[in-house]
Structure formats: C-alpha cells, structure tokens
C-alpha cells in the first residue's frame, strides 16, 4: 500500500511579513485560490487515498489545518510539539505508518511547493514506486532539471542509469553519485554546463521499513525517542509522551542523516514545472511583469521604478518613485522594504523581532 506524508511544519521566515507563525507560507494562496497545502493534497488525487495521507505540521496549526482539509480524517493531521527538522518528521511518520502497515511504501513531499502538471508529477512518483518495488532497499528522490545556475538549492549528481523493469526506457532513473551542498555562482554554472546535476526537490519514495532502518543506523538516539512515541500511539498518555520525547530530539535534515551517505539512493529526473516558493524572488515567474520589469501583486503605481516586486492588497495602494531592484511587501501590521540582492537577510529581520519580543509581528 502507498501512503503519502506531507511535511507542513515549516515557518517560511524568508516570506515574512506575509508568512507568519499562525499563517506560514504553506497556508497562503500564493498563485491562485488554493493554499499551497491544499494544492499539495490535490496533487495526490487518484494516487493516494485521503485515508492514507498524513499531514505533519506544527502543533499550534493542527486546528487550522483540519479546518482547511475537511476531507482528511482528523487523525491524519499530526502536530509536532517542537520543530526538529526533516529526519524527526520523517521518522515519526514512518514509524506510525509502519505500525499500521509493515509493508508500506511512503511518498514524502513538502507542503509548500508549486508543481504542474499534476499528471507528470504522478508519473514520476509511480516510477519511484516501481523502483522501490523492484528493490525495497532503495531510497528514491525526485530531481529537478536546473533551468539556471541557482545558488539557493542543493544539487544531486547522477551516476549510472537504473531501471525497475527490463522493458523500462533508458535514462529515466540514475544512481545518485553524490549530494552537493548549495554552491557558489561559479560552481552552480559549472553544474548547469556539465549536465547530469539536478536540484534536490525534497520529494522522496521509499519503504517505511527501509528508511526507519537507515535512520536507526545513523542516529540511534533519535530512533529511541521515535520508538517510544510510536509504541504509545494508542495510549491515553500519548500526548504527554509525544511532547516529552519529540522535544528531546536533536534536529537534523534527512539529507545529512541518511541520504548523503546511504549506498542505494536513486534519482528520477523530472519533467514537471517546479517552484519551491522559497523566497520573494522565486515568485517572479508566477506573475506577469510590467514594461519596467516590476512584478506586481495587487495595486501599485510606479514612477521611474524598475525591477521591483510589490506585494500588497486590493485595498491598499503602493506607489514607488525612483525605486529599483527592491522587494516591497505590505501587510496589515508590517511592511518589508528590502534590496533584492540582500533578500537572505529577511531571516535576520525575523530573528531581531523575536529578540525584541514583538510576537504580534511574527
């Protein structure tokens, strides 16, 4: 049986001030009427049943997510008591699913990506399932063919081609030769020119038993906490145990814990359009630009202003005069004005607000 795990616990700090603790990026409607989380669930239509889907989010967002996703059983929304990165999230979900179905195959995907068309996404996932069925020891990841020399993504370098069946087309999947850290501009350009490198999408397919075994080998302390939680799943003391044990975990990414050193990882180069919506500049491709290369979301008038991103509401007008290469985001109680070249520092703004104790702005 195939199950889906949607990781929806991110805080989206690079999307501040639109993204806040109680309305993080995955709960925003970035492009269209749906939130990113709703779009992620819809992406599973006719692939994974709603009853076989698990959404892992922040404990403070459980009620909001349940209201947003009424088609999912209430028990399908799991709230982490603390943020502990992707290894803990995946181990928790895999452990709970493994109790339910020891032969489970698990699709893992972030809640805050934009992907289209759905058919091509599902085609790649089905190939991943075939690869895992052919060799259950495999860990499969989806790779995004780079369209430019990005410095903000990790990369995957392909090795030899692999197949799930004798009649499978060549070059549809490859052994992973190595995972590469986020590169500088020169290295990113070399990857692009060389070919055979893919952006790391953070989308995976594997058997729950396989990933649990791999995590236990690499981080036995983490798995001790996860095992205590999963063994208490039916207990009346579950919430107390969950809070205590999960909070005691040291957070690490699944790439660092398992994937970078595992000896049987396969990458599927994908053909779908993908946007991780990881920054304000990443949304430029989602909206039209005016004659001065300004990306405008809602009401704006410009005089001698070029190459800006302006996000506001239909009720609020932003006027720019002589402004160039900036990000301007207006919300009800906070406004961001940043140079595009220094966008990564938006996280520092959030850290400063936290240190000041200004919770209403977070």
């Amino acid at each position: 049986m195939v199950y889906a795990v949607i990781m929806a616990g991110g805080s989206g700090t690079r999307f501040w001030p639109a993204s806040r603790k109680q309305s993080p990026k995955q709960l925003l409607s970035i492009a269209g009427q749906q939130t990113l989380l709703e779009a992620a669930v819809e992406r599973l239509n006719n692939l994974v049943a709603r009853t076989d889907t698990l959404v892992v989010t922040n404990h403070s967002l459980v009620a909001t997510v349940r209201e947003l996703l009424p088609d999912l059983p209430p028990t399908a929304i799991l709230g982490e008591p603390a943020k502990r990165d992707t290894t803990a999230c995946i181990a928790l979900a895999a452990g709970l699913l493994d109790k339910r179905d020891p032969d489970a195959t698990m699709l893992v995907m972030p809640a805050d990506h934009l992907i289209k068309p759905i058919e091509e996404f599902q085609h790649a996932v089905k190939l991943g399932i075939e690869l895992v069925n052919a060799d259950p020891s495999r860990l499969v990841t989806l790779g995004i063919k780079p369209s430019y020399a990005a410095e903000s993504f990790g990369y995957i370098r392909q090795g030899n081609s692999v197949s799930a069946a004798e009649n499978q087309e060549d070059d549809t999947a490859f052994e992973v030769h190595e995972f590469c850290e986020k590169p500088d501009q020169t290295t990113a350009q070399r990857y692009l020119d060389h070919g055979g490198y893919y952006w790391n999408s953070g989308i995976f397919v594997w058997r729950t038993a396989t990933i649990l075994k791999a995590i236990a080998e690499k981080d036995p302390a983490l798995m001790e906490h996860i095992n205590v939680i999963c063994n208490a799943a039916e207990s009346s003391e579950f919430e107390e145990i969950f809070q205590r044990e999960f909070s005691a975990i040291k957070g690490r990414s699944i790439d660092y814990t398992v994937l970078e050193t595992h000896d049987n990882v396969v990458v599927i180069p994908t053909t779908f359009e993908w946007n991780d919506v990881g920054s304000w500049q990443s949304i430029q491709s989602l909206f039209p630009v005016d004659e001065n290369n300004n990306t405008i979301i809602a009401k704006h008038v410009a005089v001698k202003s070029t190459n800006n991103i302006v996000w506001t509401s239909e009720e609020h007008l932003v006027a720019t005069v002589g402004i160039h290469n900036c990000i301007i985001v207006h919300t009800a109680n906070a406004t961001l004005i940043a140079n595009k070249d220094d966008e990564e520092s938006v996280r520092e703004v959030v850290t400063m607000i936290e240190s000041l104790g200004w919770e209403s702005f977070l």
Side-chain angles (χ1 to χ4, degrees):
M1 180 75 75
V2 179
Y3 300 84
V5 174
I6 301 175
M7 298 185 291
S11 55
T13 52
R14 285 191 294 175
F15 242 73
W16 186 89
S19 179
R20 307 289 184 96
K21 284 185 177 180
Q22 294 307 310
S23 57
K25 181 178 62 170
Q26 60 270 24
L27 301 186
L28 299 179
S29 302
I30 302 293
Q33 299 300 310
Q34 283 184 316
T35 65
L36 294 176
L37 177 55
E38 287 175 299
V41 173
E42 186 175 274
R43 204 171 295 137
L44 300 171
N45 285 351
N46 303 314
L47 181 68
V48 179
R50 295 289 189 265
T51 52
D52 297 327
T53 300
L54 182 64
V55 177
V56 185
T57 188
N58 184 286
H59 72 100
S60 66
L61 298 176
V62 168
T64 301
V65 172
R66 284 176 176 164
E67 185 176 347
L68 187 67
L69 304 173
D71 290 345
L72 265 64
T75 54
I77 316 300
L78 189 62
E80 295 175 331
K83 187 175 181 180
R84 291 296 183 264
D85 218 321
T86 52
T87 301
C89 174
I90 288 168
L92 174 65
L96 293 172
L97 291 175
D98 193 65
K99 291 284 185 184
R100 177 176 169 182
D101 180 358
D103 296 319
T105 296
M106 176 180 175
L107 163 64
V108 180
M109 52 191 270
D112 55 359
H113 292 180
L114 286 171
I115 293 173
K116 63 179 184 180
I118 290 175
E119 293 77 14
E120 291 186 22
F121 167 79
Q122 293 193 358
H123 175 76
V125 171
K126 289 174 182 176
L127 175 57
I129 293 167
E130 290 176 11
L131 287 162
V132 168
N133 287 341
D135 181 356
S137 69
R138 281 174 175 152
L139 304 178
V140 177
T141 182
L142 304 191
I144 309 299
K145 186 175 180 180
S147 54
Y148 64 97
E151 302 171 66
S152 55
F153 303 131
Y155 284 72
I156 300 169
R157 181 184 174 191
Q158 72 177 44
N160 297 325
S161 63
V162 298
S163 62
E166 292 182 3
N167 61 351
Q168 182 183 307
E169 296 178 19
D170 293 337
D171 300 335
T172 53
F174 299 89
E175 296 172 353
V176 170
H177 183 77
E178 66 175 329
F179 284 85
C180 308
E181 297 296 326
K182 295 176 182 178
D184 57 25
Q185 180 61 37
T186 300
T187 305
Q189 188 61 53
R190 177 167 59 83
Y191 292 165
L192 186 66
D193 295 340
H194 183 277
Y197 287 84
Y198 305 95
W199 292 334
N200 186 351
S201 70
I203 303 171
F204 311 109
V205 181
W206 45 48
R207 290 282 173 88
T208 55
T210 303
I211 193 63
L212 288 169
K213 180 172 182 282
I215 295 171
E217 289 174 352
K218 301 295 184 180
D219 194 341
L222 181 148
M223 278 308 305
E224 286 182 14
H225 294 296
I226 293 297
N227 288 335
V228 172
I229 294 168
C230 293
N231 288 334
E234 303 299 324
S235 166
S236 60
E237 300 176 347
F238 175 73
E239 290 300 330
E240 178 185 343
I241 294 170
F242 187 16
Q243 165 78 35
R244 182 186 70 237
E245 297 293 329
F246 198 85
S247 299
I249 289 171
K250 182 178 180 180
R252 290 192 178 97
S253 74
I254 194 66
D255 291 20
Y256 177 81
T257 305
V258 173
L259 296 174
E260 292 177 2
T261 55
H262 198 272
D263 60 3
N264 193 3
V265 185
V266 172
V267 60
I268 299 173
T270 59
T271 56
F272 51 74
E273 296 179 39
W274 176 83
N275 189 322
D276 81 326
V277 199
S279 66
W280 283 108
Q281 292 189 70
S282 70
I283 69 171
Q284 289 180 113
S285 62
L286 306 176
F287 298 93
V289 297
D290 65 15
E291 63 276 11
N292 293 309
N293 203 40
N294 295 303
T295 302
I296 310 302
I297 301 99
K299 279 192 166 36
H300 172 252
V301 293
V303 176
K304 299 177 183 176
S305 298
T306 61
N307 199 35
N308 298 300
I309 299 171
V310 180
W311 171 294
T312 181
S313 65
E314 287 293 343
E315 295 77 30
H316 187 94
L317 171 67
V318 172
T320 56
V321 179
I323 302 297
H324 309 281
N325 202 47
C326 284
I327 299 164
I328 301 169
V329 183
H330 171 271
T331 67
N333 71 343
T335 300
L336 169 72
I337 302 171
N339 190 292
K340 280 185 175 181
D341 296 332
D342 203 25
E343 184 182 2
E344 286 295 320
S345 296
V346 172
R347 284 178 169 175
E348 294 181 32
V349 172
V350 175
T351 300
M352 290 176 68
I353 296 170
E354 288 175 337
S355 68
L356 291 166
W358 293 351
E359 285 293 319
S360 63
F361 300 104
L362 294 172

